[in-house]
């Protein structure tokens, strides 16, 4: 009887591993940007206070303005209007970070390779929205910070941010909440297009090189560059905003009249008045905002994991 020929076993079919689709990463809480901005602004408040007083008063030098504040109100005077800063950050800044992320989704600009023009457009859209939403908080912050730079008879003498808000509505009408909204929205568009978009752009550019990883050194470098860009781009609108919001009386909120008056008395370079304190304030603020925001995001990732 002939032996049965040996038939090799057919190659085994690879086991089909049922792979679940990768879970889509949850978005970060919308309030992270507001918290990061509030922490940063609290640290740099004395510099922001000095910048506003340089722009809105007759002070000409940063150090002399700081000395004047300490001489007239003590060390605590460097934190005049801190409640207005908190109100502004938790309205304007929270809104702008949320709107920026949503705008990037709409424009399909969430990937690291997103073109700069899409990032800039997303930042501009976010700035327009946040500038409108945060305008009352912006006015309150500017008035609280600039009050002690004025003669006693011209001060608002608000107790805190909510007192300022209620008194503005009661004494000046609801329309006072929209004072300076044009320059404020314009500045917000410039700020977000130059700060948020440039941070994402610089960060992606650094990560594309072999010298940087996604760590604190990369975040610091990108935020330093973004702060310098944002200060220069936003200076003209920032000066106009501070002067208009600090003004009182009929006709004093006109952008055109403010520009004409400043041009006739100070010349065209008035739009860069306070650039150094603005840079010294915005630079550490920008760095602190993004470093804090990145760490908050890592904290959220850790909790979720």
């Amino acid at each position: 009887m002939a032996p049965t020929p040996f038939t090799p076993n057919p190659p085994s079919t690879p086991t089909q591993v049922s792979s679940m689709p990768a879970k889509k990463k949850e978005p970060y809480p919308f309030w992270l940007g507001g918290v990061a901005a509030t922490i940063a602004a609290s640290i740099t408040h004395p510099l922001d206070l000095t910048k506003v007083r340089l722009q809105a008063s007759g002070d000409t030098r940063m150090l002399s303005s700081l000395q004047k504040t300490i001489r007239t109100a003590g060390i605590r005077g460097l934190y005049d209007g801190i409640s207005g800063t908190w109100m502004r950050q938790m309205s304007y800044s929270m809104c702008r970070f949320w709107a920026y992320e949503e705008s990037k989704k709409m424009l399909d600009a969430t990937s690291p390779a997103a073109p700069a023009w899409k990032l800039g457009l997303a930042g501009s859209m976010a700035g327009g929205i946040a500038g409108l939403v945060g305008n009352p908080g912006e006015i309150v912050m500017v008035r609280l910070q600039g009050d002690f730079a004025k003669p006693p008879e011209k001060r608002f003498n608000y107790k805190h941010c909510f007192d300022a808000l209620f008194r503005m509505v009661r004494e000046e009408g609801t329309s006072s909440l929209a004072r300076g909204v044009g320059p404020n929205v314009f500045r917000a568009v410039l700020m977000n297009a130059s700060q948020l978009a440039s941070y994402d752009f610089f960060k992606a550019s650094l990560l594309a090189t072999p010298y940087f990883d996604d760590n604190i050194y990369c975040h610091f470098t990108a935020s330093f560059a973004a702060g310098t860009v944002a200060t220069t781009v936003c200076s003209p609108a920032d000066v106009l905003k501070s002067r208009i919001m600090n003004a009182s009386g009929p006709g004093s909120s006109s952008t055109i009249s403010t520009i004409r008056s400043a041009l006739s008395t100070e010349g065209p370079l008035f739009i860069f008045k306070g650039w150094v304190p603005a840079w010294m304030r915005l630079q550490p603020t920008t760095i602190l905002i993004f470093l804090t925001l990145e760490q908050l995001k890592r904290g959220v990732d850790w909790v979720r994991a």
Side-chain angles (χ1 to χ4, degrees):
M1 186 174 181
T4 305
F6 172 75
T7 306
N9 293 327
S12 58
T13 305
T15 306
Q16 299 294 326
V17 180
S18 59
S19 58
M20 295 293 291
K23 187 178 179 181
K24 187 177 180 181
K25 189 173 183 180
E26 295 181 49
Y28 292 104
F30 73 94
W31 43 263
L32 280 190
V35 172
T38 301
I39 294 171
S42 299
I43 297 172
T44 60
H45 182 79
L47 294 174
D48 194 30
L49 181 75
T50 303
K51 179 208 69 171
V52 169
R53 291 181 175 178
L54 278 173
Q55 292 175 343
S57 70
D59 296 340
T60 57
R61 295 182 180 275
M62 182 186 67
L63 290 179
S64 62
S65 182
L66 278 168
Q67 291 171 351
K68 179 180 177 182
T69 299
I70 295 173
R71 186 172 61 251
T72 56
I75 295 295
R76 293 183 60 184
L78 295 176
Y79 285 89
D80 285 340
I82 187 67
S83 65
T85 296
W86 292 337
M87 173 179 279
R88 188 249 190 182
Q89 299 302 337
M90 291 307 292
S91 55
Y92 164 74
S93 288
M94 186 179 347
C95 181
R96 74 185 180 114
F97 277 98
W98 167 81
Y100 179 60
E101 294 301 324
E102 294 301 315
S103 299
K104 287 200 296 183
K105 293 176 185 176
M106 290 175 56
L107 298 171
D108 192 24
T110 55
S111 70
W117 70 268
K118 281 191 176 183
L119 297 175
L121 181 57
S124 299
M125 293 166 62
I129 297 170
L132 286 172
V133 172
N135 198 69
E138 192 85 24
I139 300 173
V140 168
M141 181 191 74
V142 169
R143 288 191 173 188
L144 284 172
Q145 290 180 354
D147 216 26
F148 279 94
K150 297 179 178 180
E153 67 276 7
K154 292 185 178 181
R155 293 176 184 172
F156 295 108
N157 293 317
Y158 299 136
K159 298 177 182 177
H160 46 69
C161 61
F162 296 109
D163 179 54
L165 204 61
F166 296 146
R167 280 182 53 191
M168 282 174 58
V169 174
R170 185 173 66 248
E171 297 170 7
E172 303 175 49
T174 308
S175 61
S176 65
L177 300 179
R179 179 184 287 270
V181 68
N184 189 42
V185 169
F186 180 57
R187 176 190 176 277
V189 169
L190 294 178
M191 172 61 74
N192 287 275
S194 59
Q195 187 190 57
L196 299 185
S198 64
Y199 174 77
D200 278 351
F201 174 78
F202 287 128
K203 179 182 174 182
S205 300
L206 292 172
L207 290 176
T209 70
Y211 307 108
F212 286 92
D213 295 318
D214 191 4
N215 54 29
I216 193 171
Y217 303 107
C218 175
H219 305 156
F220 176 87
T221 306
S223 58
F224 185 92
T228 302
V229 172
T231 303
T232 306
V233 170
C234 296
S235 182
D238 204 22
V239 172
L240 291 175
K241 172 187 71 73
S242 294
R243 296 194 178 199
I244 291 172
M245 288 182 173
N246 253 309
S248 59
S252 59
S253 61
S254 169
T255 304
I256 300 300
S257 63
T258 300
I259 294 174
R260 285 176 177 171
S261 174
L263 283 174
S264 63
T265 57
E266 303 171 63
L269 290 181
F270 86 94
I271 60 174
F272 291 105
K273 188 174 182 181
W275 188 94
V276 172
W279 181 84
M280 292 183 67
R281 191 275 308 179
L282 187 59
Q283 193 67 285
T285 299
T286 302
I287 292 170
L288 287 169
I289 284 175
F290 288 114
L291 291 185
T292 305
L293 182 59
E294 296 282 4
Q295 295 306 309
L296 289 174
K297 287 181 177 179
R298 290 190 177 187
V300 171
D301 290 337
W302 180 80
V303 170
R304 288 174 176 173

